[in-house]
Amino acid sequence: MKHISLILFITVFLIAACTPSVNNTDARLDKRVDSVLQLMTLEEKIGQMVLYTSDWDVTGPTLRENYLDDIRKGHCGNIFNAHTVAYTRQLQKIAVEESRLGIPLLFGYDVIHGHKTIFPISLGEAASWDTTALELSARVSAIEAAASGLHWTFAPMVDVSVDPRWGRVSEGAGEDPFLGSVIARARVRGFQGPSNDLSDTLTVLATVKHFAAYGAPEAGRDYNTVDMSERVFRSIYLPPYRAAIDAGALSVMTSFNELDGVPATGSRYLLTDLLRTELGFKGFVVTDYTSINEMVDHGVAANFAEAGLLAIHAGVDMDMQGEVYFNFLKKQVEEGLVSEKLIDEAVRRVLKVKFMLGLFDDPYRYCSEEREKRYVYAPEHLDAALDVARKSMVLLKNDNQLLPLKKGEKIAVLGELAASTRDMLGSWKAAGDWDFMQSTLDVLREYNGEKNVIYAEGAKKTGDDRSGFAAALSAVRKADKVVMVIGEDWDWSGEAASRTSIQVPGVQTELLAAVKKLGKPVVVVLMNGRPLDLSREHLLADAILEAWYPGTMGGKAITQVLYGEYNPSGKLPMTFPVNVGQVPLYYYAKNTGRPIYLPNPKYKSRYIDAPNDPLYPFGFGLSYTRFEYSALKLDSKQLTAEGQLKASVTVTNSGAYDGVEIVQWYVRDLVGSVTRPVKELKGFNRIELKAGESKVVEFLLTPSQLAFYRQDMSFGTEPGDFKLFVGGNSRDVLEAPFVLK
Ligand code: NOJ
């Protein structure tokens, strides 16, 4: 140890009377932050505004080779893509013992749907519509991440998207602002803990990303231009960000895209007026990977120095990987182009979070080998991952009740994806390992007996190699039933993975067609990160199970669902179109002036070569049992400004299995000062029903749920006629009228 860190000394002095838990009232925190700030040189302050990746993981295009030296000099206060107790301790030691002030590092990582124990991709988790399970998934992820030395996750990603061509739909919660908001809240609670106590060594700081409207790139091409009306932005895209901030997330990541001609990273409107002033965000803003630099390519800055000026004045506190703040800010302050006050504000926000995490009390408090050993891949975490994986699966088709399969029947298992483990983790695998995992094939063999499972790869995930077809068809001939696992390579969704075709790639479907000709019942299990065009598969397969990328326990979850050990209950969080030409397609569309139901055969809003309707609507998902809806009742036909309306519906499990149904409540405002969506989700209930059982499910409606951005952009209600809908998906619903007074 070169010297006793000055900061540590002062901090210890300041908290002499402190109890083991971190005692942080707001005033006390501010005082502590200021006590550090006043010791810092301008360069050291800027260091706290710098975030570099370690060389442990690659999540972007660049690497700053000398980041260790930067830490030593106090020029870099934050590191991402470094994990494990041993490695974070090693880096923290450099910061604490070798830098002048010894300010501890903040360690961030993309812990999106798991750290070591990987849960289903976020879109899959959203299909569970189970906020308790989702919160638990984030909680487990936080526990494992924090036990591996991390303080900060770059999640939740709350970007609403209606375009399956965009590869990053896999990371979000789908197309709906209401469902997206509920899920955003659950994830923040999970990461930051139920009491939002960042000093708890089993919580991590959450990041709301990507602010804002990143999910609406033109033509679904990643990083592309975003342009939309303020009304659409506020009504559809903003709510989940707001929900996550209200839930207490203390960092926000800017997005790569422009909005209305201004790149988000340089938008004072987004980062200060909206985020801080209107939404009341109190944490710090970090850029996405080199997104300050990218403002040069966007064409709003002539060089990096100018881009940095845009960012700092917009409200960006921390530069991820761009080296722009590091290279230019000091000179810009000295030349009077940036006020030091602005720098102080940014540094205060970063230091405050470091204090809240307890890092000034003990910079190594997240470095416990004991905790790492105890929590990483803990059996209860694997159980949770299995539970969420099962809940995320969506049964899209099940003709003649082919599923569940019966144990002991001979099955042919086909497809490269059936034997894959890596793919099951999806694109954000964090620190998850796939070596020790079981593939779907492994578990099917274990469950159904080696001799009853005949595997032939048949078709690869991509490419046009048909050399495996013959062996696959011969396997099918020997079997009673066929399970084909098909879909996309893990790397075909996520960042920088946009597609213009959303069909199942390669020759997988061609093999399915050949198998179908042999007349054996065929189950398709899908692994993919986006809604696909399944028109051909829908005709060819007898049953289709959407399994997404189901995570570490995916093989077991798929097997349990296929064999009825678990009755599927997932519901689609995004519309599955008939073909890519319908995109963007979402259930909360407007009616238009020439809706499809008009009698006139030609001049209406429709396609001449495809239906308007999707293949599978938002909210859709079957069960091994059947749910029937009846007796929708409202306790009054009128809702007054201060009143509430109670709706009830009877849901009956009329099939042969116990099951879970997600009862969905939608509303339509029939006449407004601006056009209103044909349906908007306003609530849902996740209910369990035994075979033969009925339940009355209630829903409470208040005027605030009917508020929207009116023609003058004020937010509120308008009296008039409404419809309430209820059903097991957004298409098949019962309806009842009511009036808002
Ligand atoms: C770029 C991605 O857009 C963002 O989501 C991620 O958190 C960062 N890279 C860091 O890996």
Side-chain angles (χ1 to χ4, degrees), residues 293-584:
N293 317 53
E294 291 168 24
M295 287 197 279
V296 174
D297 285 307
H298 272 291
V300 294
N303 49 48
F304 290 169
E306 262 185 48
L309 287 178
L310 291 178
I312 187 81
H313 288 122
V316 169
D317 302 311
M318 196 186 284
D319 173 5
M320 183 195 285
Q321 199 58 24
E323 302 180 29
V324 175
Y325 280 4
F326 172 76
N327 286 324
F328 304 103
L329 255 189
K330 181 164 175 264
K331 192 150 167 272
Q332 287 168 338
V333 172
E334 286 161 358
E335 285 173 355
L337 293 172
V338 175
S339 90
E340 191 159 350
K341 201 168 147 268
L342 211 54
I343 306 287
D344 286 352
E345 278 170 21
V347 177
R348 266 198 195 96
R349 291 183 191 123
V350 176
L351 292 179
K352 189 163 177 175
V353 167
K354 291 189 177 184
F355 270 109
M356 292 170 89
L357 285 158
L359 293 173
F360 281 94
D361 303 275
D362 174 5
Y364 303 107
R365 63 203 302 272
Y366 294 82
C367 297
S368 151
E369 266 93 4
E370 207 186 306
R371 272 203 304 270
E372 191 171 39
K373 233 169 124 194
R374 155 76 181 86
Y375 289 114
V376 166
Y377 289 132
E380 67 269 24
H381 294 178
L382 294 170
D383 286 350
L386 174 64
D387 182 52
V388 179
R390 293 185 307 207
K391 286 176 170 161
S392 74
M393 292 187 191
V394 186
L395 185 63
L396 296 174
K397 181 177 178 185
N398 195 20
D399 277 4
N400 307 318
Q401 300 212 290
L402 172 56
L403 291 176
L405 297 172
K406 283 165 206 69
K407 208 170 171 171
E409 287 174 335
K410 248 193 193 16
I411 55 168
V413 177
L414 311 181
E416 184 184 6
L417 282 167
S420 167
T421 48
R422 170 62 190 94
D423 289 284
M424 276 202 276
L425 300 184
S427 66
W428 283 123
K429 57 155 192 51
D433 314 280
W434 58 93
D435 303 343
F436 80 99
M437 274 173 58
Q438 288 187 296
S439 67
T440 308
L441 177 63
D442 293 333
V443 189
L444 283 172
R445 280 183 171 141
E446 207 173 87
Y447 184 89
N448 197 35
E450 291 269 347
K451 65 173 186 344
N452 293 325
V453 177
I454 314 160
Y455 177 65
E457 183 184 80
K460 300 254 181 234
K461 296 175 278 186
T462 52
D464 56 4
D465 180 2
R466 296 174 178 81
S467 61
F469 278 27
L473 296 177
S474 127
V476 170
R477 282 190 196 95
K478 290 180 213 140
D480 304 313
K481 289 175 183 165
V482 185
V483 175
M484 259 192 98
V485 186
I486 60 175
E488 299 175 296
D489 184 278
W490 66 268
D491 204 19
W492 279 44
S493 56
E495 191 178 347
S498 296
R499 296 184 62 194
T500 57
S501 156
I502 52 168
Q503 293 189 336
V504 174
V507 292
Q508 297 175 99
T509 305
E510 197 180 313
L511 176 61
L512 170 63
V515 167
K516 172 76 179 170
K517 284 198 184 126
L518 300 183
K520 303 278 169 76
V522 187
V523 180
V524 161
V525 176
L526 286 164
M527 274 195 218
N528 50 295
R530 53 159 61 77
L532 292 172
D533 161 359
L534 297 172
S535 305
R536 293 177 304 161
E537 294 73 11
H538 184 80
L539 293 177
L540 294 168
D542 300 282
I544 304 181
L545 179 69
E546 174 57 85
W548 316 103
Y549 299 116
T552 306
M553 299 303 287
K556 195 162 185 183
I558 289 172
T559 305
Q560 291 192 350
V561 172
L562 289 180
Y563 282 93
E565 307 248 333
Y566 188 87
N567 186 355
S569 57
K571 302 274 187 174
L572 295 177
M574 260 187 107
T575 303
F576 274 45
V578 161
N579 63 40
V580 76
Q582 294 182 314
V583 168

